[in-house]
Amino acid sequence: MSADQGVAVVDRTRCVGSGMCIVYAPGTFAHDAEVKAVVLDPPGDDLETIETAIEACPTSALRLGGEQEEQ
Amino acid sequence: MTTVQGLNRDRLKELFDLRSSYNTLMGGDFQTDPYPLWARLRAEAPVHDGTVHRLSGYSGEAFFQGLPFPEVPHFSAFTFAACDAALRDEVTFASSPTVLGESSETPGFETSMLSMNGAMHRRYRALVQPSFVPAKAGWWITKWIEETVQLLVDGLVDQGRAELNVDFCAAIPILTITHSFGIPIEQALEVRASLSQPAKIAAMLAPIVAARREDPQDDLISVLVQAELRDEDGVHQRLSDLEIYSFAILLLLAGSGTTWKQMGIVLTALLERPELLAAVRSDRSLLRPAIEEALRWTPTDPMFSRHVTRDTEFFGKHLPAGSVLHLCLGAANRDPARWDRPDEFDPRRPVKRSLGFGGGFHICLGMHVARAEMLVGIGALLDRLPNLRLDPDGPQPRYIGMYERGATEIPVVFG
C-alpha cells in the first residue's frame, strides 16, 4: 500500500481490544501489551481489506487517516 | 484429564435439547422460520412498535436480555443500519436500565459486566479481554479444546452413526468453559443445570477460587483472582469473591450454550449442502468463511436489547426515554441493503462483518474462543469421519427457537 492512500489510525480510548480488526486484516493489525489495536509497519493487507477491518470495529475505534496525520 | 466418555448422555440430552424444558424459557418451542416475516417487517420500516417475538407471531412468554419489562414501551429494529447505529451509541442505548453500583449484593449475570454501562463496563471487561483475544486462541485450543474434541470423536468413530447436536456440539463448549475454570468434569453438567441458581454455582466455585488465591494456575479463575481493577482515582484493587462469581456465571452462561447452537447451525448448513461440504473437506480454508457465513445467515442469538436513556428520534420512530429497543440482529444480518442474495448461505461471498456476535462495546467477549471451538470441532469431524452425511433414515434437522436458535437434532452416518 502506498503512503498516499493513508493508514489506519487507532483511537486508543475507544479500542477495547475486541480483536475484530485482527480477524479481518491480520496482516495489518495486532494488539500491544495493553491489548489495544496497533497498526503493523508496513501494513500487510490491501486497502480494501483494511477498510473492511476498519468498518468491522465494533466500537468505531478505527479510521483511515491521511498521510499528514501519521506523525 | 477428562474422561468425556463418562458424560451422562441422557442428562446431556435433557439439558441440550432446544425443545426441553430447560430451553423453552427463551422460546425454544418456536418452530416457524421467522426470516420471511422479518424480511417483510424490515422492508416496511426500520423500526416497529412491539417486541421481536410478538412481531414474529410467537404467543408465549419469551425471556431474554431486555425482557420482559412489561411497564415500558417496546420497539424493535430490523435493518442493519438501525441495529448497527444503536449498538454503536452506548450513550443513548444502554445495556442496562439502571446504573449499577460498584458493590452488588448478589452474584449473577444481572450484576455482571453484561449489565454495566460506559466506563465501568470498560474497566471490568479489560480484566478478562487479554484472555479472549485472537492471539489466545492457541492457548484455548491446546489447553482446553483439542483434547476434548478428539476424545469425543474417539467415542463416535467406530459407530458409523451419531447424533452430533447433543453428543458433539453441546459437549464441546460446556467442557471447554468448565475445564478452563478448573471445574471437574463430574460437575460440568450440574453447572449448566444450575445457571439459574447463582448461589449454587457460587458454592461450586468457592473452593476453586480459594485454592487459586493460594496457588494460581494457568486457568481462568486464576486470571480473575489475580486481576487488578483500577478505579477512577487510579487505586488498584483485587476482585472480591462476589465479583468473581458474577464474572464466572456470565462466562459460564455465555460460554456453555451459544457455541453449542451455533456449531450445530454451521454443521447443519454444510450437511444440507453436500457439494459445499465436499468443497470444505478438500479445501479446509473454506471452513472459516463457512463459520462466518453461518453467523450471518442464522445467528443463534438473533436479538439483543438496549435501554433508551433519553428521548430520541430514531429511524423514523420517536423513542421515549425508558423504553426498550430490541435489535433483531437476525433480520439485520439479511438486510439486502448490505448483502446480495441475503437469504442464501454462501461462504464464498465477499468478507464483511455481520452482527452475529453483536456489536458495540458489549460485542461478544468469547467470539474468538467460539470460532476456535467450531473450527477445531468441525475440522476434527471432517478429518476423522469419512463420507460424513445426514442420516437419510433419520429425522432431518430443523432450525427452531425464538431468542436462542439452533438445530433440533443432527443425525449423521459416515464410513
PDB file of all heavy atoms in Angstrom, chain B residues 381-403:
ATOM      1  N   LEU B 381     -14.238 -33.523  12.792  1.00  0.00           N
ATOM      2  CA  LEU B 381     -15.242 -34.396  12.165  1.00  0.00           C
ATOM      3  C   LEU B 381     -14.865 -34.670  10.715  1.00  0.00           C
ATOM      4  O   LEU B 381     -14.960 -35.807  10.231  1.00  0.00           O
ATOM      5  CB  LEU B 381     -16.626 -33.741  12.220  1.00  0.00           C
ATOM      6  CG  LEU B 381     -17.252 -33.539  13.598  1.00  0.00           C
ATOM      7  CD1 LEU B 381     -18.593 -32.808  13.460  1.00  0.00           C
ATOM      8  CD2 LEU B 381     -17.446 -34.871  14.327  1.00  0.00           C
ATOM      9  N   LEU B 382     -14.438 -33.606  10.011  1.00  0.00           N
ATOM     10  CA  LEU B 382     -14.080 -33.776   8.595  1.00  0.00           C
ATOM     11  C   LEU B 382     -12.809 -34.621   8.449  1.00  0.00           C
ATOM     12  O   LEU B 382     -12.675 -35.400   7.508  1.00  0.00           O
ATOM     13  CB  LEU B 382     -13.886 -32.411   7.933  1.00  0.00           C
ATOM     14  CG  LEU B 382     -15.147 -31.549   7.834  1.00  0.00           C
ATOM     15  CD1 LEU B 382     -14.825 -30.183   7.242  1.00  0.00           C
ATOM     16  CD2 LEU B 382     -16.230 -32.240   7.011  1.00  0.00           C
ATOM     17  N   ASP B 383     -11.891 -34.489   9.409  1.00  0.00           N
ATOM     18  CA  ASP B 383     -10.651 -35.284   9.351  1.00  0.00           C
ATOM     19  C   ASP B 383     -10.917 -36.767   9.595  1.00  0.00           C
ATOM     20  O   ASP B 383     -10.307 -37.619   8.973  1.00  0.00           O
ATOM     21  CB  ASP B 383      -9.672 -34.812  10.444  1.00  0.00           C
ATOM     22  CG  ASP B 383      -9.000 -33.503  10.095  1.00  0.00           C
ATOM     23  OD1 ASP B 383      -8.986 -33.147   8.907  1.00  0.00           O
ATOM     24  OD2 ASP B 383      -8.502 -32.827  11.024  1.00  0.00           O
ATOM     25  N   ARG B 384     -11.818 -37.048  10.538  1.00  0.00           N
ATOM     26  CA  ARG B 384     -11.866 -38.415  11.056  1.00  0.00           C
ATOM     27  C   ARG B 384     -13.114 -39.211  10.688  1.00  0.00           C
ATOM     28  O   ARG B 384     -13.145 -40.420  10.894  1.00  0.00           O
ATOM     29  CB  ARG B 384     -11.702 -38.374  12.586  1.00  0.00           C
ATOM     30  CG  ARG B 384     -10.325 -37.808  12.992  1.00  0.00           C
ATOM     31  CD  ARG B 384     -10.097 -37.874  14.471  1.00  0.00           C
ATOM     32  NE  ARG B 384     -10.215 -39.238  14.993  1.00  0.00           N
ATOM     33  CZ  ARG B 384     -10.318 -39.530  16.287  1.00  0.00           C
ATOM     34  NH1 ARG B 384     -10.298 -38.538  17.180  1.00  0.00           N
ATOM     35  NH2 ARG B 384     -10.441 -40.769  16.693  1.00  0.00           N
ATOM     36  N   LEU B 385     -14.151 -38.548  10.172  1.00  0.00           N
ATOM     37  CA  LEU B 385     -15.370 -39.273   9.811  1.00  0.00           C
ATOM     38  C   LEU B 385     -15.542 -39.222   8.287  1.00  0.00           C
ATOM     39  O   LEU B 385     -16.123 -38.285   7.751  1.00  0.00           O
ATOM     40  CB  LEU B 385     -16.594 -38.678  10.508  1.00  0.00           C
ATOM     41  CG  LEU B 385     -16.527 -38.580  12.039  1.00  0.00           C
ATOM     42  CD1 LEU B 385     -17.836 -37.996  12.583  1.00  0.00           C
ATOM     43  CD2 LEU B 385     -16.226 -39.922  12.689  1.00  0.00           C
ATOM     44  N   PRO B 386     -15.025 -40.230   7.577  1.00  0.00           N
ATOM     45  CA  PRO B 386     -15.085 -40.196   6.118  1.00  0.00           C
ATOM     46  C   PRO B 386     -16.530 -40.270   5.624  1.00  0.00           C
ATOM     47  O   PRO B 386     -17.382 -40.930   6.240  1.00  0.00           O
ATOM     48  CB  PRO B 386     -14.290 -41.437   5.693  1.00  0.00           C
ATOM     49  CG  PRO B 386     -14.262 -42.327   6.885  1.00  0.00           C
ATOM     50  CD  PRO B 386     -14.359 -41.445   8.090  1.00  0.00           C
ATOM     51  N   ASN B 387     -16.789 -39.563   4.529  1.00  0.00           N
ATOM     52  CA  ASN B 387     -18.102 -39.644   3.895  1.00  0.00           C
ATOM     53  C   ASN B 387     -19.232 -39.231   4.855  1.00  0.00           C
ATOM     54  O   ASN B 387     -20.328 -39.784   4.832  1.00  0.00           O
ATOM     55  CB  ASN B 387     -18.329 -41.073   3.369  1.00  0.00           C
ATOM     56  CG  ASN B 387     -19.454 -41.129   2.356  1.00  0.00           C
ATOM     57  OD1 ASN B 387     -19.825 -40.108   1.784  1.00  0.00           O
ATOM     58  ND2 ASN B 387     -20.012 -42.315   2.153  1.00  0.00           N
ATOM     59  N   LEU B 388     -18.943 -38.260   5.690  1.00  0.00           N
ATOM     60  CA  LEU B 388     -19.938 -37.774   6.658  1.00  0.00           C
ATOM     61  C   LEU B 388     -21.137 -37.179   5.922  1.00  0.00           C
ATOM     62  O   LEU B 388     -20.991 -36.368   5.022  1.00  0.00           O
ATOM     63  CB  LEU B 388     -19.274 -36.694   7.530  1.00  0.00           C
ATOM     64  CG  LEU B 388     -20.155 -36.005   8.581  1.00  0.00           C
ATOM     65  CD1 LEU B 388     -20.527 -36.979   9.692  1.00  0.00           C
ATOM     66  CD2 LEU B 388     -19.442 -34.786   9.163  1.00  0.00           C
ATOM     67  N   ARG B 389     -22.346 -37.627   6.297  1.00  0.00           N
ATOM     68  CA  ARG B 389     -23.564 -37.113   5.653  1.00  0.00           C
ATOM     69  C   ARG B 389     -24.746 -37.243   6.592  1.00  0.00           C
ATOM     70  O   ARG B 389     -24.701 -38.009   7.569  1.00  0.00           O
ATOM     71  CB  ARG B 389     -23.843 -37.875   4.354  1.00  0.00           C
ATOM     72  CG  ARG B 389     -23.986 -39.383   4.564  1.00  0.00           C
ATOM     73  CD  ARG B 389     -23.658 -40.161   3.291  1.00  0.00           C
ATOM     74  NE  ARG B 389     -23.927 -41.599   3.480  1.00  0.00           N
ATOM     75  CZ  ARG B 389     -23.075 -42.462   4.034  1.00  0.00           C
ATOM     76  NH1 ARG B 389     -21.900 -42.055   4.501  1.00  0.00           N
ATOM     77  NH2 ARG B 389     -23.393 -43.739   4.162  1.00  0.00           N
ATOM     78  N   LEU B 390     -25.818 -36.504   6.300  1.00  0.00           N
ATOM     79  CA  LEU B 390     -27.030 -36.630   7.105  1.00  0.00           C
ATOM     80  C   LEU B 390     -27.565 -38.046   6.973  1.00  0.00           C
ATOM     81  O   LEU B 390     -27.490 -38.656   5.892  1.00  0.00           O
ATOM     82  CB  LEU B 390     -28.095 -35.630   6.623  1.00  0.00           C
ATOM     83  CG  LEU B 390     -27.906 -34.165   7.056  1.00  0.00           C
ATOM     84  CD1 LEU B 390     -28.949 -33.286   6.378  1.00  0.00           C
ATOM     85  CD2 LEU B 390     -27.971 -34.004   8.575  1.00  0.00           C
ATOM     86  N   ASP B 391     -28.110 -38.593   8.041  1.00  0.00           N
ATOM     87  CA  ASP B 391     -28.690 -39.929   8.018  1.00  0.00           C
ATOM     88  C   ASP B 391     -29.980 -39.887   7.209  1.00  0.00           C
ATOM     89  O   ASP B 391     -30.954 -39.250   7.621  1.00  0.00           O
ATOM     90  CB  ASP B 391     -28.977 -40.363   9.469  1.00  0.00           C
ATOM     91  CG  ASP B 391     -29.533 -41.777   9.538  1.00  0.00           C
ATOM     92  OD1 ASP B 391     -29.871 -42.341   8.466  1.00  0.00           O
ATOM     93  OD2 ASP B 391     -29.630 -42.305  10.654  1.00  0.00           O
ATOM     94  N   PRO B 392     -30.004 -40.566   6.042  1.00  0.00           N
ATOM     95  CA  PRO B 392     -31.207 -40.471   5.199  1.00  0.00           C
ATOM     96  C   PRO B 392     -32.438 -41.092   5.872  1.00  0.00           C
ATOM     97  O   PRO B 392     -33.573 -40.755   5.516  1.00  0.00           O
ATOM     98  CB  PRO B 392     -30.824 -41.242   3.927  1.00  0.00           C
ATOM     99  CG  PRO B 392     -29.654 -42.092   4.312  1.00  0.00           C
ATOM    100  CD  PRO B 392     -28.959 -41.413   5.457  1.00  0.00           C
ATOM    101  N   ASP B 393     -32.204 -41.973   6.833  1.00  0.00           N
ATOM    102  CA  ASP B 393     -33.336 -42.624   7.518  1.00  0.00           C
ATOM    103  C   ASP B 393     -33.724 -41.925   8.811  1.00  0.00           C
ATOM    104  O   ASP B 393     -34.696 -42.318   9.457  1.00  0.00           O
ATOM    105  CB  ASP B 393     -32.994 -44.094   7.823  1.00  0.00           C
ATOM    106  CG  ASP B 393     -32.607 -44.844   6.565  1.00  0.00           C
ATOM    107  OD1 ASP B 393     -33.289 -44.630   5.536  1.00  0.00           O
ATOM    108  OD2 ASP B 393     -31.625 -45.613   6.597  1.00  0.00           O
ATOM    109  N   GLY B 394     -32.962 -40.921   9.209  1.00  0.00           N
ATOM    110  CA  GLY B 394     -33.251 -40.238  10.467  1.00  0.00           C
ATOM    111  C   GLY B 394     -34.104 -39.009  10.231  1.00  0.00           C
ATOM    112  O   GLY B 394     -34.340 -38.605   9.090  1.00  0.00           O
ATOM    113  N   PRO B 395     -34.592 -38.392  11.323  1.00  0.00           N
ATOM    114  CA  PRO B 395     -35.303 -37.123  11.180  1.00  0.00           C
ATOM    115  C   PRO B 395     -34.346 -36.048  10.661  1.00  0.00           C
ATOM    116  O   PRO B 395     -33.188 -36.038  11.043  1.00  0.00           O
ATOM    117  CB  PRO B 395     -35.765 -36.813  12.609  1.00  0.00           C
ATOM    118  CG  PRO B 395     -34.889 -37.617  13.502  1.00  0.00           C
ATOM    119  CD  PRO B 395     -34.423 -38.813  12.716  1.00  0.00           C
ATOM    120  N   GLN B 396     -34.819 -35.231   9.755  1.00  0.00           N
ATOM    121  CA  GLN B 396     -33.950 -34.191   9.213  1.00  0.00           C
ATOM    122  C   GLN B 396     -33.898 -33.011  10.190  1.00  0.00           C
ATOM    123  O   GLN B 396     -34.913 -32.675  10.799  1.00  0.00           O
ATOM    124  CB  GLN B 396     -34.464 -33.743   7.834  1.00  0.00           C
ATOM    125  CG  GLN B 396     -34.442 -34.856   6.800  1.00  0.00           C
ATOM    126  CD  GLN B 396     -33.064 -35.506   6.655  1.00  0.00           C
ATOM    127  OE1 GLN B 396     -32.129 -34.889   6.166  1.00  0.00           O
ATOM    128  NE2 GLN B 396     -32.922 -36.757   7.110  1.00  0.00           N
ATOM    129  N   PRO B 397     -32.732 -32.405  10.324  1.00  0.00           N
ATOM    130  CA  PRO B 397     -32.632 -31.283  11.262  1.00  0.00           C
ATOM    131  C   PRO B 397     -33.487 -30.098  10.808  1.00  0.00           C
ATOM    132  O   PRO B 397     -33.606 -29.839   9.613  1.00  0.00           O
ATOM    133  CB  PRO B 397     -31.146 -30.911  11.243  1.00  0.00           C
ATOM    134  CG  PRO B 397     -30.530 -31.644  10.115  1.00  0.00           C
ATOM    135  CD  PRO B 397     -31.455 -32.711   9.668  1.00  0.00           C
ATOM    136  N   ARG B 398     -34.048 -29.436  11.780  1.00  0.00           N
ATOM    137  CA  ARG B 398     -34.780 -28.194  11.507  1.00  0.00           C
ATOM    138  C   ARG B 398     -34.203 -27.124  12.419  1.00  0.00           C
ATOM    139  O   ARG B 398     -33.739 -27.422  13.514  1.00  0.00           O
ATOM    140  CB  ARG B 398     -36.271 -28.369  11.809  1.00  0.00           C
ATOM    141  CG  ARG B 398     -37.012 -29.241  10.811  1.00  0.00           C
ATOM    142  CD  ARG B 398     -38.461 -29.450  11.219  1.00  0.00           C
ATOM    143  NE  ARG B 398     -38.583 -30.106  12.519  1.00  0.00           N
ATOM    144  CZ  ARG B 398     -39.138 -29.555  13.592  1.00  0.00           C
ATOM    145  NH1 ARG B 398     -39.643 -28.329  13.532  1.00  0.00           N
ATOM    146  NH2 ARG B 398     -39.190 -30.217  14.733  1.00  0.00           N
ATOM    147  N   TYR B 399     -34.268 -25.854  11.966  1.00  0.00           N
ATOM    148  CA  TYR B 399     -33.812 -24.744  12.791  1.00  0.00           C
ATOM    149  C   TYR B 399     -35.009 -24.213  13.567  1.00  0.00           C
ATOM    150  O   TYR B 399     -36.025 -23.850  12.973  1.00  0.00           O
ATOM    151  CB  TYR B 399     -33.244 -23.610  11.933  1.00  0.00           C
ATOM    152  CG  TYR B 399     -32.128 -24.050  11.005  1.00  0.00           C
ATOM    153  CD1 TYR B 399     -32.381 -24.319   9.661  1.00  0.00           C
ATOM    154  CD2 TYR B 399     -30.826 -24.180  11.464  1.00  0.00           C
ATOM    155  CE1 TYR B 399     -31.366 -24.712   8.796  1.00  0.00           C
ATOM    156  CE2 TYR B 399     -29.799 -24.571  10.620  1.00  0.00           C
ATOM    157  CZ  TYR B 399     -30.079 -24.839   9.282  1.00  0.00           C
ATOM    158  OH  TYR B 399     -29.067 -25.230   8.434  1.00  0.00           O
ATOM    159  N   ILE B 400     -34.903 -24.206  14.887  1.00  0.00           N
ATOM    160  CA  ILE B 400     -36.013 -23.730  15.711  1.00  0.00           C
ATOM    161  C   ILE B 400     -35.493 -22.744  16.767  1.00  0.00           C
ATOM    162  O   ILE B 400     -34.293 -22.538  16.892  1.00  0.00           O
ATOM    163  CB  ILE B 400     -36.769 -24.898  16.410  1.00  0.00           C
ATOM    164  CG1 ILE B 400     -35.821 -25.659  17.352  1.00  0.00           C
ATOM    165  CG2 ILE B 400     -37.391 -25.829  15.386  1.00  0.00           C
ATOM    166  CD1 ILE B 400     -36.542 -26.547  18.345  1.00  0.00           C
ATOM    167  N   GLY B 401     -36.440 -22.205  17.537  1.00  0.00           N
ATOM    168  CA  GLY B 401     -36.084 -21.326  18.642  1.00  0.00           C
ATOM    169  C   GLY B 401     -36.333 -19.863  18.296  1.00  0.00           C
ATOM    170  O   GLY B 401     -36.197 -19.456  17.140  1.00  0.00           O
ATOM    171  N   MET B 402     -36.725 -19.106  19.321  1.00  0.00           N
ATOM    172  CA  MET B 402     -37.001 -17.681  19.127  1.00  0.00           C
ATOM    173  C   MET B 402     -35.745 -16.858  19.401  1.00  0.00           C
ATOM    174  O   MET B 402     -35.132 -16.331  18.498  1.00  0.00           O
ATOM    175  CB  MET B 402     -38.145 -17.273  20.074  1.00  0.00           C
ATOM    176  CG  MET B 402     -38.642 -15.864  19.915  1.00  0.00           C
ATOM    177  SD  MET B 402     -39.569 -15.650  18.390  1.00  0.00           S
ATOM    178  CE  MET B 402     -38.422 -14.732  17.409  1.00  0.00           C
ATOM    179  N   TYR B 403     -35.359 -16.769  20.670  1.00  0.00           N
ATOM    180  CA  TYR B 403     -34.203 -15.941  21.027  1.00  0.00           C
ATOM    181  C   TYR B 403     -32.926 -16.758  21.169  1.00  0.00           C
ATOM    182  O   TYR B 403     -31.847 -16.196  21.341  1.00  0.00           O
ATOM    183  CB  TYR B 403     -34.502 -15.153  22.302  1.00  0.00           C
ATOM    184  CG  TYR B 403     -35.557 -14.088  22.070  1.00  0.00           C
ATOM    185  CD1 TYR B 403     -36.551 -13.820  23.003  1.00  0.00           C
ATOM    186  CD2 TYR B 403     -35.566 -13.357  20.886  1.00  0.00           C
ATOM    187  CE1 TYR B 403     -37.519 -12.850  22.778  1.00  0.00           C
ATOM    188  CE2 TYR B 403     -36.524 -12.384  20.645  1.00  0.00           C
ATOM    189  CZ  TYR B 403     -37.494 -12.130  21.586  1.00  0.00           C
ATOM    190  OH  TYR B 403     -38.441 -11.167  21.347  1.00  0.00           O
TER     191      TYR B 403
END
